[in-house]
Amino acid sequence: MALTHVPLLASVILLCVCSGCVTAGGVSLRADGSPGPQECPEKALEVMRVLHLNVGDGSIVELDTNQTDTSPITLYDGPVESMLDKSLGPLPPVTRLYGRVWTGGPQVVIRYYEAHVPDEEPMPICAVARLARGQMLKKPESKPGTAIVEFSRAGVFVVNSFR
């Protein structure tokens, strides 16, 4: 009798594995490959309230600590370690920001989910990297899964959800 459920279970597993609309982190992707909206976890919102980090607070970040002061730089789909160049509220320069890079759309999208102040425990946050005037646009020579961008630094801004 249990064998009658095997095809159904196999179909459900196959559907979940083959679903291309959600990344491993649970973020839905738009048609162009850029990430869709995502809520900021309640724990991150709580930590940001305690730290007095408000939506729109910003600083400067080195996008990839392995490519500091380089131009242009190549970013890859997946995890990224960035570093604050200037304080962001109570977070001092050299604080590491950990997040994810998406290169599928016309410009790079970087979302940060964690901050790590030296000699302290990592803490959840929600922030994004941004540059004005299209400076996060990928260069035409970027290959799939990568983005070549002109600058190694960008603005980083606190958000309460990702849009």
Side-chain angles (χ1 to χ4, degrees), residues 38-61:
Q38 180 184 21
E39 293 299 316
C40 185
E42 189 57 43
K43 184 67 176 169
L45 294 171
E46 180 184 322
V47 166
M48 293 187 308
R49 274 192 296 274
V50 169
L51 294 175
H52 301 287
L53 288 173
N54 300 305
V55 171
D57 288 351
S59 183
I60 304 296
V61 67

Side-chain angles (χ1 to χ4, degrees), residues 51 53 59-62 65 81-98 112 114-123 125 156:
L51 294 175
L53 288 173
S59 183
I60 304 296
V61 67
E62 277 290 341
T65 56
E81 177 184 2
S82 301
M83 183 176 65
L84 287 178
D85 278 349
K86 298 184 179 191
S87 295
L88 176 60
L91 304 177
V94 306
T95 296
R96 304 299 182 168
L97 298 180
Y98 296 97
Y112 296 108
E114 186 177 85
H116 191 181
V117 176
D119 299 324
E120 293 187 25
E121 290 296 313
M123 62 193 87
I125 63 162
V156 61

Side-chain angles (χ1 to χ4, degrees), residues 2-146:
L3 291 178
T4 60
H5 297 299
V6 172
L8 177 61
L9 181 58
S11 297
V12 170
I13 291 171
L14 185 61
L15 179 64
C16 291
V17 170
C18 293
S19 174
C21 63
V22 177
T23 66
V27 178
S28 63
L29 297 179
R30 295 182 172 104
D32 68 359
S34 63
Q38 180 184 21
E39 293 299 316
C40 185
E42 189 57 43
K43 184 67 176 169
L45 294 171
E46 180 184 322
V47 166
M48 293 187 308
R49 274 192 296 274
V50 169
L51 294 175
H52 301 287
L53 288 173
N54 300 305
V55 171
D57 288 351
S59 183
I60 304 296
V61 67
E62 277 290 341
L63 294 172
D64 182 347
T65 56
N66 295 312
Q67 299 181 72
T68 301
D69 291 328
T70 303
S71 179
I73 66 168
T74 302
L75 297 170
Y76 300 89
D77 277 327
V80 68
E81 177 184 2
S82 301
M83 183 176 65
L84 287 178
D85 278 349
K86 298 184 179 191
S87 295
L88 176 60
L91 304 177
V94 306
T95 296
R96 304 299 182 168
L97 298 180
Y98 296 97
R100 181 152 183 358
V101 175
W102 285 268
T103 64
Q107 64 182 9
V108 178
V109 175
I110 304 174
R111 294 178 177 176
Y112 296 108
Y113 303 103
E114 186 177 85
H116 191 181
V117 176
D119 299 324
E120 293 187 25
E121 290 296 313
M123 62 193 87
I125 63 162
C126 291
V128 295
R130 291 192 182 124
L131 277 176
R133 298 184 296 269
Q135 294 171 336
M136 293 290 279
L137 289 175
K138 299 185 312 188
K139 290 184 166 267
E141 59 269 27
S142 299
K143 297 191 179 347
T146 69

